[in-house]
Amino acid sequence: MATGVLFGREPVLEAHMLDTPELAGRWSAVPGDFFESAPAAGDLYILKHILHDWNDDECVRILRRCRAAMTAQSRILVAETIAPPANTPHYVWSLDLMMPAALTGRERTRDEFEQLFAAADLTLNRVQTTASYSSMAVMELVPRDVGSMRVEAGR
């Protein structure tokens, strides 16, 4: 049976919706700040709609904290919209214009994500696209030294 840790700042932990009978005893809440650390030796780290909130330096810092906590067998799943090439009509470019008004982040192309991952000593192993209107994709990252197993998909 899979178990998990919800890791985040206190306000996030206080607002979770995981207290359901189906999940009882299968997860725990751990307070922390992903700019400082990540839970050690997890099998899988999931970052959904996290990186687009932050600028490149902050993203690399988050990813490096995850990388430092990983084992050679660990994986990171990053669920984000992958922006199409510039000047390609897509709703994500409207969102990209609004991001600086509230946050330091922005939307990114696949190449821009790969640059962030490389700066954090991670390799993009696989991409699974979805049929959602938002072009959501799930990107699987592995530690760079494990990257020789790289599987190319969804390019």
Side-chain angles (χ1 to χ4, degrees), residues 14-122:
E14 292 169 4
H16 75 78
M17 297 187 301
L18 296 175
D19 281 330
T20 65
E22 300 84 24
L23 297 177
R26 295 185 53 201
W27 70 278
S28 60
V30 175
D33 180 345
F34 55 48
F35 286 111
E36 302 302 324
S37 66
D43 294 325
L44 182 66
Y45 297 83
I46 301 172
L47 303 173
K48 182 179 178 195
H49 291 303
I50 300 293
L51 299 182
H52 84 134
D53 288 348
W54 305 101
N55 68 38
D56 290 353
D57 291 339
E58 292 164 323
C59 287
V60 170
R61 187 171 172 196
I62 293 166
L63 291 165
R64 283 183 178 158
R65 296 306 179 259
C66 292
R67 174 63 185 98
M70 294 171 74
T71 68
Q73 293 76 37
S74 298
R75 300 289 185 262
I76 299 174
L77 296 182
V78 173
E80 295 279 357
T81 295
I82 297 178
N87 299 319
T88 302
H90 195 278
Y91 100 95
V92 75
W93 295 122
S94 298
L95 183 58
D96 190 55
L97 289 173
M98 294 183 282
M99 292 299 290
L103 302 162
T104 64
R106 63 189 187 87
E107 303 305 320
R108 294 177 175 85
T109 64
R110 179 174 171 152
D111 288 341
E112 290 168 328
F113 275 116
E114 287 194 66
Q115 290 171 21
L116 294 177
F117 304 152
D121 198 28
L122 296 161

Side-chain angles (χ1 to χ4, degrees), residues 116-136:
L116 294 177
F117 304 152
D121 198 28
L122 296 161
T123 298
L124 180 60
N125 190 52
R126 174 179 5 218
V127 175
Q128 179 63 53
T129 58
T130 67
S132 69
Y133 75 94
S134 66
S135 303
M136 171 72 70

